């Protein structure tokens, strides 16, 4: 941590950073003393009683992120000219580094605390770009030609309602695009059906405005056919926004073609904090637009220097980790997923629900049971809308077994971040997403649990 602090040019900031380091070290020393007492409560003079036993060891890289918030409070007190220069430098540096790391050429960045906020701002930008009179006439121009925002049926729950609430749009402005039913992943957007919806909206006098695609769906980590969607959006003048955990793999040497296509989209939202295991680091939305006046009106840029300080925790963390450290974190998470997939393939009656095993950092799997007289191939096929009889009863039993299996694994290996979820077609499944939940985790602990459970 000392070496990274030396990079801070202002001696006052460096001194403040050292003071923060000493404070965090005091908290960690007290926590270690507590642990050495074998669970006994240790009332320390350094930490208030309510915080006893609640301090987590977040590592030095976590300290750098927390340092950013303390430095931000100090920097905001500088005189206007110093504040302007410093915040502009922090924002431009962080934007340049992220665009280079994630192959997003000539992009701009918007840093935000609420993960969905970036997309809401992008929607505002798209509205201002497509409706030239919106600033003057407001929602009257939207009434005459209603905008349409397209969301996948596999989008995270509540996203459409959030956008409508933020933008003041009625729910009919949302269009739910179904996923594939015959060919391809059942969690992947149906491109042919999307084109039909777009044509229907144009015929009705509506304006296809924006499409939200997934590079890693919220449930199972599947990636839409982003290359094909990009072609469709260019054909009809639609803004393409991409989000999802698989965007992290853009930083790696090998990237699947479907995820690589996201580097050509109009905007994308990423969450480097969870990916790198860094606390209190903002989400970031990268976007491309040539009109600074419109980005200012949309809220993606600001003339307030303090707004630019949102990038400070990430600015410090990126310097501390360096490019190699940044990439290694993401690479490690992907390797964990690959190791788990390899282990699962050795276990009988495990079905893996990942369409691209080489690139997805998310593993979703389900244990299915072969009963006497049943067909194991048939057992692996989803059977929706079945009553609790016959195959439906067998599936109900498998769901209960998977819930039990998930709870056992979560208790044995809590650091894995394993979650249990219910999918409409597949039933109860288990999800392992190390980029979001298992920073710094070692796969050996997880693999050791399999012989004792299955």
């Amino acid at each position: 941590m000392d070496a990274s602090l030396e990079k801070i040019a202002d001696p006052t900031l460096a001194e403040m950073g050292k003071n923060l380091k000493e404070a965090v070290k005091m908290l960690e020393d007290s926590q270690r003393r507590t642990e050495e007492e074998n669970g006994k409560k240790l009332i320390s003079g350094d930490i208030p009683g309510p915080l006893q036993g609640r301090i987590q060891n977040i590592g030095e890289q976590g300290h750098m992120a927390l340092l950013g918030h303390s430095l931000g409070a100090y920097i905001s007190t500088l005189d206007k000219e110093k504040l302007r220069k410093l915040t502009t430098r922090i924002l431009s540096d962080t934007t340049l580094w992220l665009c280079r790391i994630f192959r997003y050429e000539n992009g701009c960045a918007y840093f935000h605390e609420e993960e969905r906020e970036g997309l809401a701002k992008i929607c505002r930008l798209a509205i201002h770009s497509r409706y030239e009179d919106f600033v003057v006439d407001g929602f009257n121009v939207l009434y005459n030609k209603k905008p349409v925002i397209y969301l996948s049926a596999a989008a995270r729950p509540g996203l459409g309602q959030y956008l409508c609430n933020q933008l003041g749009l009625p729910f009919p402005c949302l269009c739910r695009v179904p996923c594939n039913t015959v060919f391809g992943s059942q969690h992947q957007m149906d491109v042919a059906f999307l084109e039909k919806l777009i044509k229907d909206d144009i015929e009705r006098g509506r304006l296809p405005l924006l499409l939200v695609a997934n590079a890693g769906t919220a449930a199972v980590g599947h990636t839409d056919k982003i290359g094909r969607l990009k072609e469709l959006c260019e054909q009809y003048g639609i803004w393409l926004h991409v989000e999802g955990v698989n965007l992290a793999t853009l930083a790696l040497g090998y990237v699947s073609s479907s995820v690589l296509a996201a580097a050509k989209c109009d905007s994308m939202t990423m969450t480097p904090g969870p990916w790198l295991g860094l606390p209190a680091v903002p989400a970031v939305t990268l976007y491309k637009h040539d009109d600074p006046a419109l980005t200012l009106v949309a809220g993606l840029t600001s003339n307030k220097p303090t707004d630019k300080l949102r990038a400070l925790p990430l600015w410090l963390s990126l310097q501390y980790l360096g490019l190699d450290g940044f990439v290694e974190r993401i690479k490690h998470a992907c390797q964990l997923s690959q190791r788990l997939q390899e282990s699962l393939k050795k276990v009988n009656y495990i079905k893996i629900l990942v369409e691209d095993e080489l690139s997805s950092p998310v593993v979703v799997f389900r244990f299915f049971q072969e009963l006497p007289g049943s067909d194991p191939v048939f057992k692996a096929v989803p059977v929706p809308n079945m009553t609790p009889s016959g195959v439906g009863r067998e599936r109900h039993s498998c769901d209960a077994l998977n819930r039990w299996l998930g709870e056992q694994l979560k208790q044995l290996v809590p650091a894995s971040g394993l979650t249990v979820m219910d999918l409409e077609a597949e039933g109860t499944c288990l999800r392992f997403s190390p980029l979001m939940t298992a920073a710094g985790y070692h796969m050996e602990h997880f693999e050791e649990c399999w012989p004792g459970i299955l």
Side-chain angles (χ1 to χ4, degrees):
M1 192 171 185
D2 292 329
S4 57
L5 286 172
E6 291 173 358
K7 297 179 181 179
I8 302 176
D10 192 305
T12 307
L13 301 187
E15 181 65 25
M16 186 176 182
K18 291 178 181 178
N19 292 339
L20 180 65
K21 178 189 175 183
E22 292 174 2
V24 175
K25 186 176 185 299
M26 179 187 73
L27 294 175
E28 289 193 339
D29 287 345
S30 181
Q31 174 69 5
R32 278 193 290 271
R33 290 198 300 270
T34 303
E35 293 173 353
E36 289 170 1
E37 288 291 321
N38 298 322
K40 296 179 181 179
K41 291 186 178 180
L42 178 65
I43 304 301
S44 168
D46 295 334
I47 301 179
L51 293 180
Q52 291 286 341
R54 297 179 182 273
I55 307 302
Q56 297 183 1
N57 189 340
I58 58 175
E60 288 195 359
Q61 67 276 3
H63 296 167
M64 293 305 296
L66 297 179
L67 170 62
H69 290 273
S70 296
L71 290 181
Y74 169 78
I75 291 173
S76 63
T77 66
L78 297 176
D79 65 78
K80 289 185 179 180
E81 186 58 23
K82 270 190 176 181
L83 179 61
R84 184 189 63 80
K85 289 182 178 179
L86 188 55
T87 54
T88 300
R89 172 66 184 274
I90 291 170
L91 181 62
S92 61
D93 282 354
T94 313
T95 299
L96 178 63
W97 296 337
L98 290 173
C99 287
R100 287 182 176 176
I101 291 172
F102 293 104
R103 308 170 188 239
Y104 199 76
E105 297 180 0
N106 303 318
C108 303
Y110 173 67
F111 299 89
H112 43 100
E113 301 298 331
E114 158 54 69
E115 186 178 339
R116 301 169 297 182
E117 182 186 345
L119 175 55
K121 302 286 188 184
I122 289 296
C123 289
R124 291 186 190 278
L125 177 61
I127 290 174
H128 282 284
S129 299
R130 296 298 302 275
Y131 294 89
E132 296 181 358
D133 299 327
F134 182 71
V135 175
V136 177
D137 298 331
F139 284 93
N140 288 330
V141 297
L142 303 185
Y143 179 80
N144 296 326
K145 198 166 189 176
K146 294 181 178 63
V148 183
I149 298 174
Y150 301 92
L151 297 176
S152 169
R156 48 184 158 161
L159 180 59
Q161 182 177 359
Y162 172 85
L163 292 176
C164 286
N165 291 340
Q166 293 296 311
L167 300 170
L169 295 176
F171 289 141
C173 287
L174 295 176
C175 181
R176 184 175 181 268
V177 183
C179 294
N180 296 319
T181 55
V182 180
F183 301 104
S185 164
Q186 294 184 352
H187 301 272
Q188 203 174 52
M189 197 182 302
D190 188 330
V191 180
F193 201 93
L194 170 63
E195 185 170 17
K196 180 181 181 298
L197 291 172
I198 293 172
K199 290 179 178 178
D200 289 346
D201 286 328
I202 293 175
E203 290 179 2
R204 295 176 185 176
R206 298 178 177 180
L207 178 66
L209 181 70
L210 183 141
L211 168 67
V212 182
N214 291 301
T217 54
V220 298
H222 287 195
T223 298
D224 288 324
K225 298 174 181 177
I226 298 176
R228 179 71 184 95
L229 293 176
K230 176 60 178 174
E231 295 174 359
L232 203 61
C233 287
E234 288 179 344
Q235 180 180 348
Y236 292 99
I238 302 172
W239 185 289
L240 176 61
H241 180 85
V242 181
E243 60 180 27
V245 68
N246 293 356
L247 289 174
T249 62
L250 285 170
L252 303 180
Y254 168 78
V255 188
S256 67
S257 58
S258 57
V259 176
L260 187 60
K264 303 296 183 183
C265 66
D266 298 299
S267 59
M268 59 182 178
T269 295
M270 301 178 294
T271 54
W275 297 351
L276 303 174
L278 299 175
V281 166
V284 56
T285 294
L286 300 180
Y287 64 95
K288 296 177 183 177
H289 202 270
D290 298 329
D291 192 335
L294 291 185
T295 58
L296 183 62
V297 171
L300 288 165
T301 55
S302 173
N303 292 324
K304 297 179 181 178
T306 51
D307 288 343
K308 300 176 183 178
L309 285 175
R310 293 175 187 162
L312 183 56
L314 192 53
W315 182 76
L316 288 170
S317 299
L318 288 174
Q319 291 189 78
Y320 177 83
L321 289 171
L323 177 60
D324 292 341
F326 189 100
V327 173
E328 187 58 34
R329 289 293 183 90
I330 296 174
K331 184 178 179 181
H332 175 65
C334 293
Q335 288 173 341
L336 287 178
S337 295
Q338 292 171 9
R339 290 265 317 263
L340 177 59
Q341 288 179 32
E342 293 169 1
S343 298
L344 291 174
K345 289 177 181 178
K346 300 174 184 177
V347 182
N348 291 333
Y349 310 124
I350 289 286
K351 178 186 178 184
I352 303 175
L353 283 69
V354 181
E355 91 283 4
D356 187 351
E357 297 181 1
L358 296 177
S359 63
S360 179
V362 180
V363 182
V364 178
F365 59 97
R366 169 179 168 84
F367 177 84
F368 64 93
Q369 186 179 16
E370 181 182 8
L371 298 179
S374 65
D375 185 348
V377 175
F378 180 70
K379 291 293 299 144
V381 177
V383 186
N385 303 322
M386 287 290 295
T387 57
S389 62
V391 176
R393 184 168 58 247
E394 293 177 8
R395 169 172 163 167
H396 180 74
S397 299
C398 284
D399 285 347
L401 181 60
N402 278 279
R403 280 190 288 271
W404 173 85
L405 175 62
E407 293 303 322
Q408 291 296 310
L409 287 172
K410 285 196 294 183
Q411 291 179 17
L412 290 169
V413 200
S416 68
L418 192 78
T419 57
V420 179
M421 60 180 183
D422 292 313
L423 299 177
E424 183 177 355
E426 292 84 357
T428 302
C429 299
L430 285 72
R431 176 176 58 197
F432 179 62
S433 181
L435 268 175
M436 300 302 293
T437 58
Y441 180 70
H442 297 285
M443 196 66 225
E444 289 78 7
H445 305 305
F446 197 79
E447 293 173 329
E448 288 172 359
C449 299
W450 284 110
I453 295 180
L454 300 177

